[in-house]
mmCIF file of all heavy atoms in Angstrom:
data_model
loop_
_atom_site.group_PDB
_atom_site.id
_atom_site.type_symbol
_atom_site.label_atom_id
_atom_site.label_comp_id
_atom_site.label_asym_id
_atom_site.label_seq_id
_atom_site.Cartn_x
_atom_site.Cartn_y
_atom_site.Cartn_z
ATOM 1 N N ALA W 217 29.647 -27.134 -2.898
ATOM 2 C CA ALA W 217 28.563 -26.322 -3.480
ATOM 3 C C ALA W 217 27.847 -27.205 -4.478
ATOM 4 O O ALA W 217 28.484 -27.990 -5.194
ATOM 5 C CB ALA W 217 29.118 -25.079 -4.163
ATOM 6 N N ARG W 218 26.546 -27.109 -4.514
ATOM 7 C CA ARG W 218 25.814 -27.911 -5.505
ATOM 8 C C ARG W 218 24.434 -27.332 -5.779
ATOM 9 O O ARG W 218 23.916 -26.530 -5.013
ATOM 10 C CB ARG W 218 25.693 -29.364 -5.034
ATOM 11 C CG ARG W 218 24.847 -29.565 -3.800
ATOM 12 C CD ARG W 218 24.698 -31.046 -3.457
ATOM 13 N NE ARG W 218 25.987 -31.640 -3.083
ATOM 14 C CZ ARG W 218 26.106 -32.770 -2.384
ATOM 15 N NH1 ARG W 218 25.034 -33.445 -2.019
ATOM 16 N NH2 ARG W 218 27.291 -33.238 -2.058
ATOM 17 N N TRP W 219 23.895 -27.751 -6.908
ATOM 18 C CA TRP W 219 22.532 -27.361 -7.271
ATOM 19 C C TRP W 219 21.548 -28.330 -6.620
ATOM 20 O O TRP W 219 21.747 -29.543 -6.665
ATOM 21 C CB TRP W 219 22.362 -27.389 -8.785
ATOM 22 C CG TRP W 219 23.209 -26.378 -9.502
ATOM 23 C CD1 TRP W 219 24.444 -26.576 -10.045
ATOM 24 C CD2 TRP W 219 22.886 -24.999 -9.720
ATOM 25 N NE1 TRP W 219 24.915 -25.408 -10.601
ATOM 26 C CE2 TRP W 219 23.980 -24.427 -10.416
ATOM 27 C CE3 TRP W 219 21.787 -24.191 -9.392
ATOM 28 C CZ2 TRP W 219 23.998 -23.075 -10.800
ATOM 29 C CZ3 TRP W 219 21.808 -22.866 -9.784
ATOM 30 C CH2 TRP W 219 22.892 -22.314 -10.470
ATOM 31 N N MET W 220 20.504 -27.795 -6.050
ATOM 32 C CA MET W 220 19.462 -28.642 -5.450
ATOM 33 C C MET W 220 18.099 -28.219 -5.993
ATOM 34 O O MET W 220 17.861 -27.039 -6.227
ATOM 35 C CB MET W 220 19.447 -28.471 -3.926
ATOM 36 C CG MET W 220 20.703 -28.960 -3.238
ATOM 37 S SD MET W 220 20.508 -28.858 -1.429
ATOM 38 C CE MET W 220 22.166 -29.347 -0.927
ATOM 39 N N ARG W 221 17.221 -29.196 -6.133
ATOM 40 C CA ARG W 221 15.881 -28.870 -6.620
ATOM 41 C C ARG W 221 15.106 -28.079 -5.563
ATOM 42 O O ARG W 221 15.021 -28.499 -4.401
ATOM 43 C CB ARG W 221 15.113 -30.150 -6.966
ATOM 44 C CG ARG W 221 15.551 -30.782 -8.309
ATOM 45 C CD ARG W 221 14.672 -31.973 -8.652
ATOM 46 N NE ARG W 221 13.243 -31.614 -8.655
ATOM 47 C CZ ARG W 221 12.646 -30.944 -9.648
ATOM 48 N NH1 ARG W 221 13.319 -30.575 -10.719
ATOM 49 N NH2 ARG W 221 11.362 -30.658 -9.568
ATOM 50 N N VAL W 222 14.558 -26.944 -5.972
ATOM 51 C CA VAL W 222 13.819 -26.084 -5.041
ATOM 52 C C VAL W 222 12.646 -26.852 -4.423
ATOM 53 O O VAL W 222 12.382 -26.739 -3.215
ATOM 54 C CB VAL W 222 13.323 -24.810 -5.761
ATOM 55 C CG1 VAL W 222 12.515 -23.942 -4.816
ATOM 56 C CG2 VAL W 222 14.501 -24.017 -6.342
ATOM 57 N N ALA W 223 11.975 -27.654 -5.236
ATOM 58 C CA ALA W 223 10.807 -28.397 -4.735
ATOM 59 C C ALA W 223 11.218 -29.412 -3.665
ATOM 60 O O ALA W 223 10.473 -29.646 -2.708
ATOM 61 C CB ALA W 223 10.096 -29.109 -5.891
ATOM 62 N N ASP W 224 12.401 -29.999 -3.814
ATOM 63 C CA ASP W 224 12.872 -30.950 -2.809
ATOM 64 C C ASP W 224 13.134 -30.264 -1.474
ATOM 65 O O ASP W 224 12.792 -30.784 -0.412
ATOM 66 C CB ASP W 224 14.161 -31.643 -3.286
ATOM 67 C CG ASP W 224 13.913 -32.585 -4.456
ATOM 68 O OD1 ASP W 224 12.736 -32.915 -4.707
ATOM 69 O OD2 ASP W 224 14.893 -32.979 -5.112
ATOM 70 N N ILE W 225 13.763 -29.088 -1.545
ATOM 71 C CA ILE W 225 14.020 -28.341 -0.303
ATOM 72 C C ILE W 225 12.706 -27.943 0.352
ATOM 73 O O ILE W 225 12.506 -28.133 1.553
ATOM 74 C CB ILE W 225 14.880 -27.085 -0.583
ATOM 75 C CG1 ILE W 225 16.249 -27.501 -1.121
ATOM 76 C CG2 ILE W 225 15.019 -26.242 0.681
ATOM 77 C CD1 ILE W 225 17.108 -26.321 -1.578
ATOM 78 N N ALA W 226 11.786 -27.403 -0.460
ATOM 79 C CA ALA W 226 10.508 -26.932 0.085
ATOM 80 C C ALA W 226 9.709 -28.055 0.723
ATOM 81 O O ALA W 226 8.941 -27.838 1.661
ATOM 82 C CB ALA W 226 9.684 -26.257 -1.021
ATOM 83 N N ALA W 227 9.905 -29.274 0.227
ATOM 84 C CA ALA W 227 9.135 -30.412 0.748
ATOM 85 C C ALA W 227 9.857 -31.119 1.888
ATOM 86 O O ALA W 227 9.282 -31.995 2.533
ATOM 87 C CB ALA W 227 8.865 -31.415 -0.383
ATOM 88 N N SER W 228 11.097 -30.735 2.162
ATOM 89 C CA SER W 228 11.872 -31.447 3.196
ATOM 90 C C SER W 228 11.360 -31.089 4.589
ATOM 91 O O SER W 228 10.865 -29.993 4.822
ATOM 92 C CB SER W 228 13.354 -31.100 3.070
ATOM 93 O OG SER W 228 13.557 -29.725 3.358
ATOM 94 N N ARG W 229 11.510 -32.041 5.490
ATOM 95 C CA ARG W 229 10.990 -31.837 6.836
ATOM 96 C C ARG W 229 12.099 -31.558 7.845
ATOM 97 O O ARG W 229 11.854 -31.132 8.960
ATOM 98 C CB ARG W 229 10.175 -33.054 7.292
ATOM 99 C CG ARG W 229 9.164 -33.537 6.270
ATOM 100 C CD ARG W 229 7.912 -34.038 6.942
ATOM 101 N NE ARG W 229 6.935 -32.981 7.110
ATOM 102 C CZ ARG W 229 5.994 -32.969 8.060
ATOM 103 N NH1 ARG W 229 5.922 -33.923 8.943
ATOM 104 N NH2 ARG W 229 5.125 -31.974 8.131
ATOM 105 N N GLU W 230 13.346 -31.873 7.478
ATOM 106 C CA GLU W 230 14.453 -31.524 8.359
ATOM 107 C C GLU W 230 15.710 -31.300 7.532
ATOM 108 O O GLU W 230 15.730 -31.581 6.338
ATOM 109 C CB GLU W 230 14.686 -32.613 9.408
ATOM 110 C CG GLU W 230 14.843 -34.011 8.828
ATOM 111 C CD GLU W 230 14.911 -35.077 9.939
ATOM 112 O OE1 GLU W 230 14.333 -34.839 11.015
ATOM 113 O OE2 GLU W 230 15.544 -36.107 9.708
ATOM 114 N N GLY W 231 16.744 -30.807 8.188
ATOM 115 C CA GLY W 231 18.013 -30.605 7.505
ATOM 116 C C GLY W 231 18.177 -29.204 6.948
ATOM 117 O O GLY W 231 19.278 -28.822 6.578
ATOM 118 N N HIS W 232 17.086 -28.450 6.848
ATOM 119 C CA HIS W 232 17.186 -27.077 6.360
ATOM 120 C C HIS W 232 16.647 -26.109 7.403
ATOM 121 O O HIS W 232 15.737 -26.442 8.163
ATOM 122 C CB HIS W 232 16.412 -26.911 5.045
ATOM 123 C CG HIS W 232 17.048 -27.642 3.902
ATOM 124 N ND1 HIS W 232 18.255 -27.270 3.359
ATOM 125 C CD2 HIS W 232 16.652 -28.742 3.210
ATOM 126 C CE1 HIS W 232 18.573 -28.092 2.380
ATOM 127 N NE2 HIS W 232 17.626 -29.000 2.273
ATOM 128 N N SER W 233 17.214 -24.903 7.405
ATOM 129 C CA SER W 233 16.766 -23.890 8.364
ATOM 130 C C SER W 233 15.373 -23.403 7.974
ATOM 131 O O SER W 233 14.966 -23.519 6.808
ATOM 132 C CB SER W 233 17.738 -22.721 8.377
ATOM 133 O OG SER W 233 17.595 -21.953 7.200
ATOM 134 N N PRO W 234 14.638 -22.816 8.930
ATOM 135 C CA PRO W 234 13.324 -22.233 8.599
ATOM 136 C C PRO W 234 13.415 -21.195 7.488
ATOM 137 O O PRO W 234 12.530 -21.122 6.640
ATOM 138 C CB PRO W 234 12.898 -21.580 9.926
ATOM 139 C CG PRO W 234 13.623 -22.353 10.981
ATOM 140 C CD PRO W 234 14.937 -22.750 10.371
ATOM 141 N N LEU W 235 14.503 -20.431 7.465
ATOM 142 C CA LEU W 235 14.661 -19.430 6.408
ATOM 143 C C LEU W 235 14.836 -20.083 5.037
ATOM 144 O O LEU W 235 14.209 -19.658 4.061
ATOM 145 C CB LEU W 235 15.869 -18.537 6.704
ATOM 146 C CG LEU W 235 16.051 -17.384 5.718
ATOM 147 C CD1 LEU W 235 15.172 -16.206 6.090
ATOM 148 C CD2 LEU W 235 17.504 -16.944 5.634
ATOM 149 N N THR W 236 15.658 -21.118 4.971
ATOM 150 C CA THR W 236 15.860 -21.823 3.702
ATOM 151 C C THR W 236 14.544 -22.422 3.202
ATOM 152 O O THR W 236 14.206 -22.319 2.017
ATOM 153 C CB THR W 236 16.913 -22.935 3.879
ATOM 154 O OG1 THR W 236 18.142 -22.346 4.312
ATOM 155 C CG2 THR W 236 17.157 -23.688 2.580
ATOM 156 N N LEU W 237 13.800 -23.020 4.106
ATOM 157 C CA LEU W 237 12.501 -23.597 3.742
ATOM 158 C C LEU W 237 11.552 -22.530 3.214
ATOM 159 O O LEU W 237 10.908 -22.702 2.175
ATOM 160 C CB LEU W 237 11.862 -24.275 4.957
ATOM 161 C CG LEU W 237 12.454 -25.620 5.391
ATOM 162 C CD1 LEU W 237 11.762 -26.090 6.661
ATOM 163 C CD2 LEU W 237 12.292 -26.650 4.275
ATOM 164 N N ARG W 238 11.474 -21.420 3.951
ATOM 165 C CA ARG W 238 10.542 -20.362 3.581
ATOM 166 C C ARG W 238 10.882 -19.764 2.219
ATOM 167 O O ARG W 238 10.003 -19.553 1.369
ATOM 168 C CB ARG W 238 10.544 -19.287 4.673
ATOM 169 C CG ARG W 238 9.608 -18.119 4.445
ATOM 170 C CD ARG W 238 8.149 -18.554 4.467
ATOM 171 N NE ARG W 238 7.766 -19.107 5.734
ATOM 172 C CZ ARG W 238 7.210 -18.424 6.735
ATOM 173 N NH1 ARG W 238 6.954 -17.147 6.578
ATOM 174 N NH2 ARG W 238 6.882 -19.018 7.866
#
Side-chain angles (χ1 to χ4, degrees):
Chain W
R218 66 176 65 160
W219 295 94
M220 295 185 185
R221 283 185 55 77
V222 178
D224 291 345
I225 297 173
S228 65
R229 312 216 90 206
E230 52 187 28
H232 291 291
S233 73
L235 185 83
T236 301
L237 286 176
R238 181 65 62 94

